[in-house]
Amino acid sequence: SSFFSGRVGGRSCCPDFDELVNHVVQFTIRMSTQFSRSKGMALCGGSLGGALVAYSVKGILQQLPQSQEHPDFYGVALLAPALGVSPQAIPPAPIVMALKTLSYLLPSQGILTPIEHPTYACPPSSTRNFAGRWPLSTSNMLLDLTSRRVPEDVQSNNVQNQMEGLPALCIIAGDNDYVVPISSITQWYEAVTNLSSEKGEKKLIVLEGADHDFFHEGGSHKSAKKNAFAEKLFDWLNGLASKDFE
């Protein structure tokens, strides 16, 4: 395992994106067994969680039991997924190199890294989320993913390989995202051309004025309803539940 902690009782971190993807896959397979009487299931993730969900699709489809004793896999929903990064969000090259070096020496420390806001916890009353700056190793992993791996996958058509056989896809993103440009999300979305079912729905919902944090308490968008994204998400999910994907 690539998990480690900087001190006894300190927070753990994992710098290996593929290992985290495998955790998502195994969690999903376990849930499909635990809730075997459910009609169907869908996976949803936001920001880095959205990227993890996207990259877990292939593993889930390969390992998910196909039988009447297990729920159907409806598809995935990605909220402001970390599938690119704005150049303005990346520090100058010398600082990036210094932080990369520090990430190997002090992996669990947060120095000039993104800040995890307390309201990101779900539900907000949860104490499971930490508040403060991300560990250096996590930030390094995220920068490598968004600035190198995702663009390369889009250009090489590897996105199609990752998403092959997916029944349905929904992405909800803001047009005022200061971290992940809507253009990057659109390029990734357009690279997905091989949904498994004609009944499956591929949808990109752009929220006017929404920033990267629209699905958290601290986010903002111009919608009259604060949780408009949730209504759109559940409308999509309910639509999938009413369809037959066989």
Side-chain angles (χ1 to χ4, degrees):
S1 172
S2 298
F3 280 88
F4 51 79
S5 176
R7 63 184 186 280
V8 176
R11 67 186 183 192
S12 297
C13 51
C14 176
D16 189 332
F17 180 75
D18 289 318
E19 183 168 348
L20 294 178
V21 167
N22 184 57
H23 286 199
V24 175
V25 172
Q26 297 308 315
F27 171 81
T28 305
I29 303 304
R30 181 176 179 181
M31 290 299 100
S32 72
T33 301
Q34 184 173 342
F35 298 96
S36 58
R37 295 184 179 182
S38 300
K39 179 181 177 181
M41 61 187 294
L43 202 58
C44 178
S47 194
L48 176 56
L52 285 168
V53 168
Y55 276 81
S56 71
V57 166
K58 185 173 183 178
I60 291 172
L61 294 177
Q62 289 177 338
Q63 299 183 40
L64 193 67
Q66 300 296 322
S67 70
Q68 294 182 350
E69 287 73 34
H70 291 82
D72 292 332
F73 184 57
Y74 289 156
V76 299
L78 316 177
L79 309 178
L83 297 172
V85 62
S86 170
Q88 287 73 30
I90 302 176
I95 295 180
V96 170
M97 291 301 298
L99 292 178
K100 282 182 174 292
T101 301
L102 285 173
S103 71
Y104 293 104
L105 301 175
L106 302 168
S108 63
Q109 298 299 306
I111 304 173
L112 299 178
T113 56
I115 297 176
E116 187 83 0
H117 198 277
T119 59
Y120 284 12
C122 184
S125 59
S126 172
T127 58
R128 296 175 63 184
N129 265 36
F130 68 84
R133 293 193 177 278
W134 283 26
L136 281 164
S137 57
T138 304
S139 298
N140 185 43
M141 173 190 69
L142 181 61
L143 180 59
D144 181 70
L145 170 73
T146 56
S147 65
R148 183 188 62 81
R149 182 167 177 174
V150 170
E152 289 179 358
D153 285 342
V154 171
Q155 293 297 322
S156 65
N157 294 321
N158 193 40
V159 172
Q160 293 190 41
N161 178 54
Q162 295 164 354
M163 308 301 283
E164 184 176 1
L166 178 67
L169 166 68
C170 178
I171 299 180
I172 304 179
D175 64 1
N176 194 35
D177 192 323
Y178 55 90
V179 178
V180 184
I182 190 64
S183 58
S184 296
I185 292 177
T186 300
Q187 289 176 358
W188 187 92
Y189 172 82
E190 292 177 346
V192 180
T193 59
N194 51 350
L195 295 186
S196 66
S197 170
E198 292 181 358
K199 297 180 181 179
E201 190 170 18
K202 175 186 169 185
K203 178 179 289 188
L204 173 60
I205 301 173
V206 179
L207 301 177
E208 181 183 358
D211 60 19
H212 189 67
D213 301 325
F214 66 82
F215 56 96
H216 295 300
E217 289 292 327
S220 64
H221 55 81
K222 296 179 180 179
S223 173
K225 296 183 178 179
K226 186 174 183 180
N227 294 320
F229 84 91
E231 294 182 7
K232 295 180 183 297
L233 174 61
F234 281 101
D235 283 346
W236 178 77
L237 290 171
N238 290 331
L240 294 182
S242 65
K243 295 178 180 179
D244 181 3
F245 282 90
E246 295 182 358

